[in-house]
PDB file of all heavy atoms in Angstrom:
ATOM      1  N   THR A  58      -7.456   9.048  20.431  1.00  0.00           N
ATOM      2  CA  THR A  58      -7.003   9.205  19.082  1.00  0.00           C
ATOM      3  C   THR A  58      -6.308   7.982  18.654  1.00  0.00           C
ATOM      4  O   THR A  58      -6.543   7.554  17.463  1.00  0.00           O
ATOM      5  CB  THR A  58      -6.095  10.487  18.957  1.00  0.00           C
ATOM      6  OG1 THR A  58      -6.758  11.641  19.519  1.00  0.00           O
ATOM      7  CG2 THR A  58      -5.533  10.588  17.580  1.00  0.00           C
ATOM      8  N   VAL A  59      -5.375   7.454  19.396  1.00  0.00           N
ATOM      9  CA  VAL A  59      -4.677   6.201  19.056  1.00  0.00           C
ATOM     10  C   VAL A  59      -5.757   5.018  18.901  1.00  0.00           C
ATOM     11  O   VAL A  59      -5.641   4.285  17.834  1.00  0.00           O
ATOM     12  CB  VAL A  59      -3.624   5.840  20.095  1.00  0.00           C
ATOM     13  CG1 VAL A  59      -3.101   4.383  19.815  1.00  0.00           C
ATOM     14  CG2 VAL A  59      -2.664   6.811  20.191  1.00  0.00           C
ATOM     15  N   GLN A  60      -6.613   4.999  19.719  1.00  0.00           N
ATOM     16  CA  GLN A  60      -7.734   3.893  19.664  1.00  0.00           C
ATOM     17  C   GLN A  60      -8.493   4.034  18.289  1.00  0.00           C
ATOM     18  O   GLN A  60      -8.793   3.048  17.542  1.00  0.00           O
ATOM     19  CB  GLN A  60      -8.802   4.065  20.745  1.00  0.00           C
ATOM     20  CG  GLN A  60      -9.797   2.967  20.772  1.00  0.00           C
ATOM     21  CD  GLN A  60     -10.834   3.126  22.042  1.00  0.00           C
ATOM     22  OE1 GLN A  60     -10.395   3.778  23.068  1.00  0.00           O
ATOM     23  NE2 GLN A  60     -11.924   2.660  21.862  1.00  0.00           N
ATOM     24  N   ASN A  61      -8.924   5.272  17.915  1.00  0.00           N
ATOM     25  CA  ASN A  61      -9.697   5.524  16.629  1.00  0.00           C
ATOM     26  C   ASN A  61      -8.754   5.040  15.434  1.00  0.00           C
ATOM     27  O   ASN A  61      -9.291   4.443  14.582  1.00  0.00           O
ATOM     28  CB  ASN A  61     -10.046   7.028  16.564  1.00  0.00           C
ATOM     29  CG  ASN A  61     -11.173   7.370  17.528  1.00  0.00           C
ATOM     30  OD1 ASN A  61     -11.928   6.426  18.026  1.00  0.00           O
ATOM     31  ND2 ASN A  61     -11.259   8.665  17.735  1.00  0.00           N
ATOM     32  N   ASP A  62      -7.494   5.429  15.531  1.00  0.00           N
ATOM     33  CA  ASP A  62      -6.619   5.129  14.418  1.00  0.00           C
ATOM     34  C   ASP A  62      -6.466   3.552  14.290  1.00  0.00           C
ATOM     35  O   ASP A  62      -6.546   3.034  13.195  1.00  0.00           O
ATOM     36  CB  ASP A  62      -5.230   5.640  14.635  1.00  0.00           C
ATOM     37  CG  ASP A  62      -5.271   7.241  14.362  1.00  0.00           C
ATOM     38  OD1 ASP A  62      -6.196   7.753  13.819  1.00  0.00           O
ATOM     39  OD2 ASP A  62      -4.182   7.818  14.816  1.00  0.00           O
ATOM     40  N   LEU A  63      -6.207   2.831  15.462  1.00  0.00           N
ATOM     41  CA  LEU A  63      -6.248   1.414  15.363  1.00  0.00           C
ATOM     42  C   LEU A  63      -7.591   0.780  15.070  1.00  0.00           C
ATOM     43  O   LEU A  63      -7.516  -0.169  14.229  1.00  0.00           O
ATOM     44  CB  LEU A  63      -5.807   0.969  16.809  1.00  0.00           C
ATOM     45  CG  LEU A  63      -4.323   1.104  17.180  1.00  0.00           C
ATOM     46  CD1 LEU A  63      -4.102   0.762  18.678  1.00  0.00           C
ATOM     47  CD2 LEU A  63      -3.395   0.319  16.293  1.00  0.00           C
ATOM     48  N   GLU A  64      -8.595   1.354  15.399  1.00  0.00           N
ATOM     49  CA  GLU A  64      -9.949   0.790  14.995  1.00  0.00           C
ATOM     50  C   GLU A  64     -10.068   0.904  13.419  1.00  0.00           C
ATOM     51  O   GLU A  64     -10.548  -0.058  12.842  1.00  0.00           O
ATOM     52  CB  GLU A  64     -10.974   1.546  15.672  1.00  0.00           C
ATOM     53  CG  GLU A  64     -12.398   1.088  15.389  1.00  0.00           C
ATOM     54  CD  GLU A  64     -13.531   1.599  16.235  1.00  0.00           C
ATOM     55  OE1 GLU A  64     -13.366   2.821  16.548  1.00  0.00           O
ATOM     56  OE2 GLU A  64     -14.503   0.929  16.490  1.00  0.00           O
ATOM     57  N   ASN A  65      -9.595   2.029  12.969  1.00  0.00           N
ATOM     58  CA  ASN A  65      -9.664   2.113  11.441  1.00  0.00           C
ATOM     59  C   ASN A  65      -8.687   1.169  10.846  1.00  0.00           C
ATOM     60  O   ASN A  65      -9.064   0.659   9.675  1.00  0.00           O
ATOM     61  CB  ASN A  65      -9.293   3.623  11.094  1.00  0.00           C
ATOM     62  CG  ASN A  65     -10.264   4.571  11.436  1.00  0.00           C
ATOM     63  OD1 ASN A  65     -11.499   4.318  11.458  1.00  0.00           O
ATOM     64  ND2 ASN A  65      -9.955   5.776  11.542  1.00  0.00           N
ATOM     65  N   GLN A  66      -7.629   0.994  11.415  1.00  0.00           N
ATOM     66  CA  GLN A  66      -6.731  -0.098  10.870  1.00  0.00           C
ATOM     67  C   GLN A  66      -7.263  -1.499  10.883  1.00  0.00           C
ATOM     68  O   GLN A  66      -7.163  -2.310   9.897  1.00  0.00           O
ATOM     69  CB  GLN A  66      -5.379  -0.101  11.505  1.00  0.00           C
ATOM     70  CG  GLN A  66      -4.315  -1.023  10.943  1.00  0.00           C
ATOM     71  CD  GLN A  66      -3.962  -0.617   9.465  1.00  0.00           C
ATOM     72  OE1 GLN A  66      -4.031   0.522   9.097  1.00  0.00           O
ATOM     73  NE2 GLN A  66      -3.604  -1.632   8.752  1.00  0.00           N
ATOM     74  N   VAL A  67      -7.975  -1.799  12.044  1.00  0.00           N
ATOM     75  CA  VAL A  67      -8.557  -3.125  12.092  1.00  0.00           C
ATOM     76  C   VAL A  67      -9.720  -3.280  10.972  1.00  0.00           C
ATOM     77  O   VAL A  67      -9.829  -4.274  10.420  1.00  0.00           O
ATOM     78  CB  VAL A  67      -9.252  -3.286  13.499  1.00  0.00           C
ATOM     79  CG1 VAL A  67     -10.122  -4.487  13.538  1.00  0.00           C
ATOM     80  CG2 VAL A  67      -8.076  -3.528  14.640  1.00  0.00           C
ATOM     81  N   LEU A  68     -10.523  -2.233  10.864  1.00  0.00           N
ATOM     82  CA  LEU A  68     -11.543  -2.189   9.774  1.00  0.00           C
ATOM     83  C   LEU A  68     -10.958  -2.534   8.363  1.00  0.00           C
ATOM     84  O   LEU A  68     -11.447  -3.188   7.612  1.00  0.00           O
ATOM     85  CB  LEU A  68     -12.345  -0.888   9.886  1.00  0.00           C
ATOM     86  CG  LEU A  68     -13.296  -0.776  11.064  1.00  0.00           C
ATOM     87  CD1 LEU A  68     -13.862   0.602  11.087  1.00  0.00           C
ATOM     88  CD2 LEU A  68     -14.349  -1.777  11.088  1.00  0.00           C
ATOM     89  N   HIS A  69      -9.889  -1.710   8.158  1.00  0.00           N
ATOM     90  CA  HIS A  69      -9.151  -1.903   6.949  1.00  0.00           C
ATOM     91  C   HIS A  69      -8.679  -3.293   6.679  1.00  0.00           C
ATOM     92  O   HIS A  69      -8.832  -3.926   5.628  1.00  0.00           O
ATOM     93  CB  HIS A  69      -7.990  -0.883   6.830  1.00  0.00           C
ATOM     94  CG  HIS A  69      -7.160  -1.152   5.612  1.00  0.00           C
ATOM     95  ND1 HIS A  69      -7.453  -0.754   4.297  1.00  0.00           N
ATOM     96  CD2 HIS A  69      -5.878  -1.679   5.479  1.00  0.00           C
ATOM     97  CE1 HIS A  69      -6.609  -1.096   3.404  1.00  0.00           C
ATOM     98  NE2 HIS A  69      -5.562  -1.710   4.221  1.00  0.00           N
TER      99      HIS A  69
END
Side-chain angles (χ1 to χ4, degrees):
T58 300
V59 172
Q60 180 181 338
N61 290 338
D62 290 345
L63 285 169
E64 184 173 31
N65 288 334
Q66 185 62 29
V67 168
L68 291 173
H69 171 76

